Amino acid sequence: MFRTALRNVLAHKARLLMTVLAVMLGVAFVSGTLVFTNSLSEALQKQSAKGFDHVDVAITAQWVEGENDEVGEYYELTREVVDDSAAVPGAAYAIGTVQGFTAIADKDGKLLGNGFQSQGGNYWGPKDPRYPLVSGRAPKGEGEILIDSETAKRAGYEVGDTVRMSVDGPVLEPEITGVFTTDDGNVAAGGSLTLFDTASAQKLFGKAGIFDEIAVKAKDGVSDTALQAQLEKALPSDAVVTTTGTQLADDQAESIASSMSGLKQGMLVFAGISLFVGTFIIANTFTMLVAQRTKELALMRAVGASRRQVTRSVLIEAFVVGTVAAIAGLVAGIGIGVGLRSLMGTLDAPMPDGPLVISPGTVASAFAVGILVTMLAAWLPGRRAAKIPPVAAMSALHAQATTKSLVLRNTLGALVSAAGVALVLAATTMVPKDAKVPMGFGAALLIIGVFILTPLLSRPLIAAAAPALRVFGVSGKLARQNSVRNPRRTAATASALMIGLTLITGMTVMAGSLQKSIDKMAASAIEADYMVSMVNGHPLSPDVEKKLKQADGVTATSPMRNTFALVDGEHQYITGVNGATIGELTEFPVVQGAFEVGGTGIVVDEDAAKSRGWKAGSKVTLTHEDDKKQQFTITGVYQANELVRGILIDTATLDRHESADAEPTDMMVMVKTADGTSDAAKDSLEKALGTNPAIKVQDKQDLSNEIAKMFTLILNMVYGLLAMAVIVAILGVVNTLAMSVFERSQEIGMLRAIGLDRTGIKRMVRLESLVISLFGAVLGLGLGVFFGWAAGELLGASMATYELVLPWARMGIFLLLAAVVGVLAALWPARRAARLNVLRAIKAE
């Protein structure tokens, strides 16, 4: 039986080729993901470890509780603490580090790098071992800086150039006195690092005389643990925390591995989808092979082969196919890993230098996935092969599925589909955090149920295409009949394409609906012409609103200031606004009372009012930052959205209770101009702020475009990852048609003999492929819209402006692409069918 199985594999090389390709693509996706993420993780960990080469022990401050009911505070790491650390016997030197946000502009005035990755720090003394200079000298004073070599290369800066930059405040124009190299991960990820001398960094980052951390290097022969023990004796243990460089490196490595696991899992999910789609092809292929070998298998049973031996022979064939596919997939996966590394470089996200990591786990995973998926998919056809009775050797075809088996299948499919729909609908009524599991399980059940029902659905849906197929005469009629001749085969082929289009359509519906909802939110609630904020999401300097008020054409401004207070004894964030102008800048629907903010009058959103039992006229006691209590009256209750919500209070009231050393935390400033939005108005506002690269001025369209850009990026990534599943589905269509042509050789020969020409044969096969592809596409679009609607219902519970948007244009494109897939997939099978020798085909069995 083993020799027989091997001979069958060799005899059906061409027919098994597409199955090998399908499995190979799935394995390549899995192994490529593991190679890429393992290589990236190791490279990042090695680079991170380099960053700790000059740190044997790191010292950070901790919270010190106050005495006699006094408020506690963080212990200050001063220059004295640095000197004390450097003075311990085992220390070679100690460096005080200062960190903060620094935005640096390119030569066109645009921000360099991502706002969250644009960092600043201090250069320690005349020579800092952390940052080797490539050229130039150390900076002196606020008018001089160093920049990293990657930023200098991207922007074309050299020593002696003057740059525009900002550090949470006014625009600076320092001179570049040097360029340095660094192993900083933010720089490797496309960010920038700017260094000042220590005194300037402390002043600009608002940390005069204070350090964020102290890095201590041990003398030769002194271990990091010994140095740590010495430092703990020399410094107040209740005020500082000491951590060895080894521990820091280990923690960082663990953090990187954790972050990589999310990326790895996400990519493996899509690889799993591709493999799942591949199982349809494998099952289809082996089912057709078994059907074509009915006589052979029956004769084997007649001469003494047991059912177990027949099943085993099919599984041996699957094992051989899976092994070949796994080897090819592993090789292709290594190529994918190399390609992804190169792709990151072209996308301005250079990958740190490091070896390509092909771990034993990756190799084992490739073989396990390739072989197991293939054998599991071939198991059911193998069981069917074992059930072929010896008497079937006397007939050309094995018996078709009985009415009882079809009724059982349709009943099971209906029950599973109904359970899936019920779970999804029930999930839409739940709290979003509780709905994820039931909705995901319901979606899986519905897809399985529809797959089981697909043979039943194929007849009416394909029959609906009959009027269009009549246009093609005999070829069209034959194509329709061939499509429904074997509903199970048609179902398996169409289902592969259905799964990919279900996911693509669902994501498209959600993205389009969210974008529309955000546009609607901004248009309905915000009357301001512009929103001004920091590029990194940090608070704005209070000077920003003052400068905007003085800008030409500005008629109203209001900050959105986050502050902390006790509300009726409970800790809560509240939002400070300009009570005199907030009515001009926003337009929220008022549920009760009036939208009036000022003095002791505040407004609250509807959710807060319901949860606390408040209404217009209710009294609320707030305890401010200076610990003074004040009673307020709720003047109105409004409907909030994601942009503005909670308690709104006048900033004039908050200003009287701010701590002396506290900076106002304006997260955004809303601006209204006399002439509305225009390029001139935007330029005027940017100039009033000194064309600051750290600050962005956005109108509602800019805000919408920024969010749309994020959605588009995510959607394109999903499209790219799902493309693998669609390619596998295309291979399934090609494989099914090719084997179907072989199976119907005699029939095709008879059609040629009675007058159907080669063009008619080609057209018949192409139309059959087109009908099957469109059938899968229609099912995928329908399921995708349903899942998109269901997910939207969950989002709508927390987003008042959510509105379902059906992307008709994109769905039309998806349908058109499915048709193109059908035509392209049929090119080779149609050509092969047309070139069959008529006499040989008629004699074929």
Side-chain angles (χ1 to χ4, degrees), residues 40 44 150 154 187-190 341 344-352:
L40 179 59
L44 288 172
E150 291 297 323
R154 286 200 308 270
V187 174
R341 283 174 54 140
M344 286 187 69
T346 61
L347 296 176
D348 292 330
M351 183 170 167

Side-chain angles (χ1 to χ4, degrees), residues 12 116 161 180-181 184 202 245 249 282 290 524 574 584 598 644 722 727 742 771 804 830-831 836:
H12 301 134
F116 293 95
D161 288 345
F180 63 91
T181 59
D184 189 285
Q202 289 175 323
I282 301 164
V290 167
S524 62
I574 59 177
E584 299 177 53
V644 181
L722 286 175
I727 291 170
F742 179 85
V771 166
L804 179 68
R831 186 167 177 269
L836 284 175

Side-chain angles (χ1 to χ4, degrees), residues 748-758 760-761:
I748 292 170
M750 289 297 296
L751 289 171
R752 288 290 315 282
I754 62 176
L756 190 63
D757 59 12
R758 288 186 174 183
I761 294 292

Side-chain angles (χ1 to χ4, degrees), residues 76-407:
E76 293 185 346
L77 298 178
T78 61
R79 184 60 186 246
E80 185 181 354
V81 180
V82 177
D83 294 339
D84 290 344
S85 302
V88 300
Y93 59 79
I95 296 174
T97 64
V98 187
Q99 297 174 337
F101 168 70
T102 301
I104 183 169
D106 60 19
K107 291 184 177 180
D108 295 325
K110 303 298 182 183
L111 178 70
L112 272 172
N114 186 296
F116 293 95
Q117 296 169 327
S118 301
Q119 301 296 319
N122 67 312
Y123 190 77
W124 186 257
K127 191 174 182 179
D128 192 329
R130 300 171 300 167
Y131 307 114
L133 286 177
V134 176
S135 60
R137 59 171 177 80
K140 297 176 182 178
E142 294 180 29
E144 296 182 351
I145 61 167
L146 302 178
I147 63 172
D148 67 87
S149 56
E150 291 297 323
T151 299
K153 187 189 301 181
R154 286 200 308 270
Y157 282 133
E158 297 177 352
V159 173
D161 288 345
T162 299
V163 299
R164 293 181 63 80
M165 60 176 297
S166 175
V167 183
D168 284 356
V171 175
L172 305 173
E173 293 190 352
E175 177 187 346
I176 299 174
T177 63
V179 176
F180 63 91
T181 59
T182 177
D183 295 315
D184 189 285
N186 284 324
V187 174
S192 62
L193 179 60
T194 308
L195 301 179
F196 303 87
D197 68 82
T198 298
S200 299
Q202 289 175 323
K203 178 182 176 183
L204 290 169
F205 297 144
K207 302 169 183 177
I210 301 172
F211 297 96
D212 294 307
E213 186 177 275
I214 299 172
V216 187
K217 180 69 175 176
K219 290 179 179 178
D220 292 340
V222 179
S223 67
D224 53 4
T225 52
L227 177 60
Q228 182 182 29
Q230 292 177 11
L231 288 167
E232 287 176 348
K233 288 181 181 179
L235 301 174
S237 59
D238 61 337
V240 299
V241 177
T242 59
T243 311
T244 64
T246 303
Q247 184 61 50
L248 288 172
D250 291 344
D251 292 344
Q252 186 73 7
E254 186 177 339
S255 174
I256 291 170
S258 177
S259 63
M260 283 293 103
S261 69
L263 174 65
K264 184 185 296 185
Q265 289 171 9
M267 293 180 71
L268 287 176
V269 165
F270 289 97
I273 292 169
S274 298
L275 286 165
F276 181 59
V277 171
T279 59
F280 292 101
I281 300 173
I282 301 164
N284 233 10
T285 301
F286 279 93
T287 298
M288 294 174 77
L289 286 174
V290 167
Q292 291 168 11
R293 287 159 45 202
T294 299
K295 272 191 173 184
E296 175 190 330
L297 293 171
L299 282 170
M300 288 171 62
R301 291 290 316 283
V303 297
S306 66
R307 286 188 174 187
R308 185 175 296 176
Q309 285 178 309
V310 172
T311 302
R312 193 181 301 149
S313 71
V314 175
L315 290 178
I316 290 171
E317 289 181 50
F319 176 81
V320 173
V321 170
T323 303
V324 173
I327 294 170
L330 177 60
V331 173
I334 294 170
I336 289 174
V338 173
L340 287 173
R341 283 174 54 140
S342 301
L343 180 63
M344 286 187 69
T346 61
L347 296 176
D348 292 330
M351 183 170 167
D353 292 333
L356 196 68
V357 179
I358 306 170
S359 67
T362 300
V363 177
S365 298
F367 279 93
V369 167
I371 294 171
L372 287 177
V373 167
T374 309
M375 292 186 70
L376 285 173
W379 176 72
L380 188 58
R383 281 197 64 204
R384 288 177 184 162
K387 291 181 179 180
I388 296 175
V391 74
M394 293 181 289
S395 61
L397 294 173
H398 182 43
Q400 296 293 318
T402 63
T403 303
K404 180 181 178 182
S405 69
L406 291 174
V407 170

